[in-house]
Amino acid sequence: MEKNTIPVITVDGPSGSGKGTICSLLAAELKWNLLDSGALYRLVAFGALKHQIDFTDTDKIADYARQLDIRFDVSEPNPETGATEVAVILEGEAVGDGIRTEECGNNASKVAAIPAVRAALLERQRQFLVPPGLIADGRDMGTVVFPEAKLKIYLTASAEERANRRFKQLKEKGIHATVGSLIREINERDERDMNRTVAPLEPAEDAHVVDTSSMPINEVIQRVLQLYRQVFK
Ligand code: DC
């Protein structure tokens, strides 16, 4: 299959809008591949810290992003649910939840504002486009990485709702946080992601904007699958 005929659904939006959950459910439902582009930026930030590269040294961070040694090991599907798990391996070592912390997300947002880092990761992201199709989760999937995608979704939700969701997730993991501090962090991250000069977070002109503030996950999935059927069938 030619690269440009492989179907892609891009799902962009701010942190906490439900992209991660929606994208993994969609990938399992359609049996398509999944690109978690945020994980790539998180890995650059995580590895830069490990190697003590200063975040203000943009040349060194970009060099590091260019030679990033990573692998995604996908588990066999769970026989009952069909769900797979992905182990992220950086320089031969599993990173586990190390890249999922709020701190790593904030650091990822900082390195993601460096144009040379974004350029370094562009081709790597496009390599995820293999048959039978791709669900691409990020901030600039529909605008920059896969502008030719036939179906583009932009998920959003109010900062309060996103902070509440994050609060619940953290509580389940036994991590202490307050909704007030999470709202502040979310606003700071939105501000950085939306106002950077290269590939800022914004809906593509042809994106379907879905506000998930008062929508349960199930409803969001149904809405996206309905769009999928309209576009691809
Ligand atoms: O989706 P996430 O929370 O894992 O992303 C972490 C940060 O990485 C996010 O705040 C901004 C950056 N990012 C980006 O700039 N472009 C992407 N396509 C994905 C993530």
Side-chain angles (χ1 to χ4, degrees), residues 186-206:
I186 279 177
N187 283 331
E188 266 172 37
R189 185 120 75 98
D190 283 359
E191 169 79 18
R192 202 180 304 114
D193 292 347
M194 289 173 175
N195 294 317
R196 65 182 173 224
T197 48
V198 179
L201 169 65
E202 60 184 354
E205 268 178 22
D206 48 350

Side-chain angles (χ1 to χ4, degrees), residues 44-76:
V44 172
F46 186 86
L49 264 186
K50 175 176 152 193
H51 294 289
Q52 297 175 343
I53 305 171
D54 195 319
F55 282 168
T56 58
D57 192 339
T58 53
D59 287 343
K60 274 213 180 119
I61 302 249
D63 278 345
Y64 181 69
R66 273 187 282 274
Q67 59 79 56
L68 195 64
D69 169 11
I70 47 172
R71 213 174 66 227
F72 293 93
D73 284 355
V74 184
S75 73
E76 288 299 318

Side-chain angles (χ1 to χ4, degrees), residues 14-124:
S15 62
S17 56
K19 286 176 299 130
T21 313
I22 297 298
C23 286
S24 52
L25 288 170
L26 268 181
E29 172 75 22
L30 301 178
K31 301 199 169 46
W32 286 9
N33 304 295
L34 175 64
L35 163 61
D36 173 3
S37 61
L40 299 179
Y41 290 97
R42 285 171 184 263
L43 283 161
V44 172
F46 186 86
L49 264 186
K50 175 176 152 193
H51 294 289
Q52 297 175 343
I53 305 171
D54 195 319
F55 282 168
T56 58
D57 192 339
T58 53
D59 287 343
K60 274 213 180 119
I61 302 249
D63 278 345
Y64 181 69
R66 273 187 282 274
Q67 59 79 56
L68 195 64
D69 169 11
I70 47 172
R71 213 174 66 227
F72 293 93
D73 284 355
V74 184
S75 73
E76 288 299 318
N78 177 307
E80 274 157 34
T81 61
T84 51
E85 283 182 21
V86 182
V88 182
I89 317 289
L90 174 69
E91 294 154 12
E93 271 177 48
V95 295
D97 280 344
I99 58 163
R100 297 293 163 199
T101 63
E102 300 300 299
E103 191 196 354
C104 189
N106 279 322
N107 289 338
S109 158
K110 287 179 194 157
V111 300
I114 304 170
V117 167
R118 305 200 72 83
L121 296 182
L122 191 59
E123 191 44 41
R124 208 184 267 262

